Amino acid sequence: MKKKRFMLGVLAMTLVIPSLLVHAAPATKSSETDEQASTEGEVTSKDEVVYAKLDANGELEEVYVVNTLNVSEAGEIVDYGTYSSLNNLTDMSELIRADDHVEIEAQEGRFYYQGNMSGESKLPWDLSITYLLDGDEITPEELAGKEGSLELKIETSANETVDPVFFENYLVQISLTLEDEIYSDIETEEGVVANSGKNKQITFTVMPEQEEELSLRADVVDFELEGIEIAAVPSSMSIDAPDLDEMTGDINSLSDGVLDIHNGVGELKNGIAELNAGIRSLQNGSEQYKNGIGELANSSSELVSASSSIDEALTTISQSLQVTDDIDLGDLESLPGGLSQIASGLDEAAGGLSLLREHYSVAYSTLDKAMNEIPDHQISEEEIQALYESSADAEVIDQLVETYAASQKVKGTYSAVKEGFDAVDGTLQEVSGAIGEMSSTLTQIATGLATSLEDMDGMNSLAQLEEGLSTLSANYGEFHSGLVSYTNGVGELSSSYNDLHSGMSGLTGGTTELENGAGELHNGTNQLYEATSNIPEHMQEEVDRMISEFDKSDFEAVSFVSDKNENVNSVQFVIKTEGIKIEEQEEVIEEVEEEKTFWSRLLDLFSRG
């Protein structure tokens, strides 16, 4: 019995001594702390790592912060923050929790402690995770173990109730690990897919100040998902400005090319203005020519009628002078007067033709000058195509090309009929001269006839007169036939020229529109040049703006738990969602009573004692 008690005493001592040693250590440390209680410690810097747990839909469940204090001088430290509970991760010393701060007795070096935040805590970002299976939304609990076509959506947005400094300056990285046995045909537009052993790692990056809608699609079997890992760190990388010299050099070349186009369009505009002025002069000259040729055509019938009368009169006189026995020489006394009247009529006709020739000459000269003022530029198809490719107004270019073709057609038509126009003046001069000569001849005949009648000695003189008038009548008949052919030609020319003049009038309207369009085109190329000439400056401004937007290298960290904390070195966020797992069935294990060994029976013996 004494041996039993001795062995129990030894066993009891074995269990108690370690316990005493454990409780003795904090007591020693506590006594050391009490000696330093009056000393105020100093912290050179502080780091915070914010840990958060979300459910599978992204709802916040738990937040705690691991604080790292770099203590340069041991003593009492005050760290600000409101926590529901504390956990010393450095030593066994007590942490005193006040309303908005924590009191710590810390030794020199790094001091770690955990502060658990209340359930009302918020993160700087709101996350929403949605699952769709075969197009229908499904809860995480229902999704476990399912198969089909999965779409997973993650939406990030700013939490307006939290200091925006984190949302504005932190880069958020979202990572998912997808097991090869579960996921296949993975597709994502916003994420980066990488191999992680036999699995796939999907990484999404959300830039500062950005709210995103992220998604991935995959075919799944026996669906399970490890927790989604989310890390947020300051986007403190410095962004170097790119070298834009080569690019801006090319743009300057483009701007110079646009300037050349603008200058070319200016020259084209001036040329079109000259063309339009020439076309207007052409129309005025054509109008005068049309009126003149019309008057000539209208007076042709009168001229032919008068000539026909003269021809008939000459024929009648010639026939009446045939020598017969019954001729009455007294009737011949009226012949000189009749011939003088014919000569006078011919003089009037010659005068009318001379006046018509004068008007025709002026009109034709104006027309010819206007035609010659139409520019004879030869524009190739390649040049026209280059103009279409110059970003100019296509409708204006169509008008340019149409007017250019019409002006060239008019000029070509004029060149083809110019020989006929030239012949009209010479013909009018010849006809007028011939009529003048006939008038002079008739006047001489009338004068000679009057004298001859006074001195007429008989039938011999009458026979000579009859012979001369017959010759004159025959020659005038040929002249009259030519005059009829000429007037017919003038009539056809007048009718045809009306069509030509109508075309010229239409051409004038087209060139006026063309000149206006060229002016608009010139204004457009000027605006294009002004826009392209400033592109290098605009590019540099845009690059600087984008760099300033994403370059957070000047960001200074602030505390997440309290704005009273100073010397904050870094604040990081580590967030993870709850995974989705297939629930395992519990196995019922029947307990089999094992046969007791000697030692177990010995222990039973002591326990009973």
Side-chain angles (χ1 to χ4, degrees):
M1 195 66 181
K2 288 184 178 179
K3 284 185 177 180
K4 287 184 183 180
R5 292 177 179 175
F6 174 76
M7 293 181 67
L8 289 172
V10 172
L11 181 61
M13 290 294 294
T14 304
L15 295 173
V16 171
I17 290 174
S19 176
L20 293 175
L21 292 174
V22 169
H23 289 289
T28 304
K29 213 170 247 193
S30 177
S31 62
E32 292 176 358
T33 304
D34 291 339
E35 295 176 359
Q36 299 172 351
S38 60
T39 305
E40 183 177 352
E42 184 175 346
V43 177
T44 56
S45 66
K46 176 189 180 181
D47 298 318
E48 296 176 359
V49 180
V50 182
Y51 293 90
K53 181 181 179 182
L54 312 179
D55 67 13
N57 287 119
E59 291 293 331
L60 182 62
E61 292 185 338
E62 180 184 358
V63 180
Y64 65 91
V65 181
V66 174
N67 299 278
T68 302
L69 305 176
N70 293 313
V71 182
S72 59
E73 186 174 336
E76 183 179 345
I77 303 298
V78 174
D79 188 47
Y80 291 94
T82 303
Y83 303 102
S84 60
S85 62
L86 302 173
N87 186 13
N88 189 338
L89 304 177
T90 305
D91 53 34
M92 302 297 293
S93 62
E94 183 182 4
L95 303 178
I96 301 176
R97 177 169 60 89
D99 290 339
D100 65 344
H101 67 273
V102 179
E103 298 176 2
I104 307 166
E105 286 292 336
Q107 301 296 321
E108 183 177 344
R110 291 182 178 272
F111 187 89
Y112 304 90
Y113 80 94
Q114 174 182 323
N116 301 315
M117 307 190 73
S118 66
E120 298 179 355
S121 301
K122 301 291 183 182
L123 294 174
W125 304 270
D126 286 332
L127 288 95
S128 174
I129 305 172
T130 307
Y131 307 86
L132 292 93
L133 186 65
D134 296 328
D136 298 324
E137 188 170 344
I138 187 172
T139 65
E141 295 78 14
E142 295 173 329
L143 184 57
K146 293 289 195 303
E147 67 176 72
S149 177
L150 171 74
E151 183 175 5
L152 189 152
K153 296 182 178 180
I154 304 174
E155 295 183 13
T156 69
S157 59
N159 188 335
E160 304 294 341
T161 63
V162 179
D163 188 347
V165 67
F166 301 101
F167 177 76
E168 294 173 353
N169 293 278
Y170 274 56
L171 183 147
V172 179
Q173 193 172 65
I174 304 172
S175 300
L176 300 88
T177 300
L178 307 182
E179 297 183 20
D180 183 63
E181 295 84 357
I182 298 175
Y183 297 84
S184 61
D185 296 330
I186 301 170
E187 296 180 3
T188 179
E189 295 181 359
E190 303 87 359
V192 177
V193 182
N195 291 321
S196 177
K198 64 178 182 178
N199 300 326
K200 296 293 184 182
Q201 183 84 20
I202 313 298
T203 304
F204 300 99
T205 301
V206 180
M207 300 300 291
E209 300 183 83
Q210 301 298 311
E211 296 183 340
E212 298 288 352
E213 294 183 1
L214 314 170
S215 65
L216 67 84
R217 291 168 295 278
D219 293 332
V220 298
V221 293
D222 298 330
F223 179 81
E224 286 188 334
L225 178 65
E226 295 291 337
I228 300 174
E229 297 180 353
I230 304 164
V233 294
S235 178
S236 57
M237 57 183 177
S238 177
I239 302 176
D240 295 330
D243 186 4
L244 300 178
D245 290 342
E246 183 176 353
M247 187 181 299
T248 54
D250 294 338
I251 294 175
N252 286 329
S253 300
L254 170 64
S255 179
D256 294 340
V258 171
L259 179 60
D260 292 339
I261 293 175
H262 174 65
N263 294 334
V265 171
E267 295 178 1
L268 175 64
K269 174 177 173 290
N270 295 334
I272 292 174
E274 294 177 3
L275 171 64
N276 192 29
I279 293 295
R280 284 197 297 268
S281 299
L282 171 64
Q283 184 188 24
N284 294 335
S286 176
E287 182 72 26
Q288 296 179 16
Y289 180 81
K290 183 179 75 70
N291 294 336
I293 201 70
E295 291 177 4
L296 178 59
N298 293 333
S299 63
S300 294
S301 59
E302 298 177 2
L303 181 63
V304 170
S305 178
S307 177
S308 179
S309 298
I310 293 172
D311 185 43
E312 291 176 0
L314 288 175
T315 301
T316 302
I317 294 172
S318 175
Q319 292 175 353
S320 65
L321 285 178
Q322 293 178 2
V323 179
T324 64
D325 294 338
D326 298 331
I327 189 171
D328 185 359
L329 294 179
D331 294 336
L332 294 177
E333 293 178 357
S334 61
L335 182 59
L339 292 176
S340 296
Q341 291 179 0
I342 293 173
S344 177
L346 290 174
D347 284 337
E348 291 180 4
L353 288 175
S354 296
L355 181 61
L356 176 62
R357 175 173 173 264
E358 182 180 349
H359 291 167
Y360 174 82
S361 178
V362 172
Y364 178 56
S365 176
T366 303
L367 176 65
D368 187 66
K369 180 181 178 183
M371 283 291 186
N372 290 329
E373 286 179 352
I374 297 178
D376 195 21
H377 302 308
Q378 298 299 318
I379 303 176
S380 65
E381 291 293 334
E382 290 78 9
E383 292 172 326
I384 293 175
Q385 186 62 33
L387 190 58
Y388 274 112
E389 295 173 355
S390 66
S391 301
D393 190 337
E395 184 176 351
V396 174
I397 299 175
D398 290 340
Q399 294 176 356
L400 285 171
V401 174
E402 182 179 353
T403 304
Y404 167 73
S407 64
Q408 295 302 309
K409 182 178 180 180
V410 168
K411 192 164 186 177
T413 303
Y414 176 74
S415 298
V417 300
K418 187 175 186 301
E419 185 176 353
F421 289 165
D422 291 338
V424 171
D425 183 75
T427 302
L428 286 175
Q429 184 176 6
E430 291 177 3
V431 172
S432 177
I435 292 176
E437 289 179 3
M438 283 189 286
S439 174
S440 177
T441 301
L442 285 177
T443 300
Q444 291 176 5
I445 291 174
T447 301
L449 181 60
T451 302
S452 299
L453 288 175
E454 294 176 359
D455 300 334
M456 182 174 287
D457 55 357
M459 297 301 294
N460 291 331
S461 298
L462 186 60
Q464 294 177 359
L465 175 62
E466 188 273 336
E467 182 180 357
L469 287 175
S470 295
T471 303
L472 176 62
S473 176
N475 291 336
Y476 192 84
E478 294 178 1
F479 165 76
H480 178 70
S481 298
L483 183 63
V484 170
S485 299
Y486 166 73
T487 54
N488 289 336
V490 169
E492 294 177 1
L493 176 62
S494 176
S495 177
S496 300
Y497 193 79
N498 284 332
D499 296 335
L500 180 60
H501 180 70
S502 297
M504 290 182 185
S505 299
L507 179 62
T508 303
T511 54
T512 300
E513 293 181 4
L514 181 61
E515 183 177 2
N516 295 334
E520 294 177 3
L521 178 61
H522 192 243
N523 293 335
T525 53
N526 182 58
Q527 294 177 3
L528 180 61
Y529 168 68
E530 291 178 353
T532 54
S533 63
N534 295 327
I535 286 180
E537 290 80 5
H538 292 163
M539 286 182 60
Q540 189 63 55
E541 292 174 0
E542 185 65 17
V543 168
D544 293 341
R545 184 192 66 78
M546 293 180 66
I547 289 177
S548 64
E549 181 178 352
F550 293 106
D551 186 357
K552 308 293 183 179
S553 57
D554 58 347
F555 170 70
E556 294 183 2
V558 297
S559 172
F560 173 70
V561 294
S562 175
D563 55 7
K564 295 181 180 180
N565 287 322
E566 300 178 352
N567 301 324
V568 178
N569 180 53
S570 70
V571 176
Q572 301 179 19
F573 294 83
V574 178
I575 307 168
K576 188 170 184 178
T577 69
E578 183 181 4
I580 302 175
K581 295 292 184 181
I582 300 173
E583 293 185 3
E584 296 181 359
Q585 298 293 331
E586 295 183 0
E587 296 183 4
V588 179
I589 302 175
E590 296 182 359
E591 294 185 2
V592 179
E593 186 176 351
E594 297 181 357
E595 184 180 353
K596 292 185 178 181
T597 63
F598 170 79
W599 291 109
S600 61
R601 288 196 297 271
L602 181 62
L603 289 174
D604 290 342
L605 179 62
F606 281 110
S607 62
R608 287 196 300 268

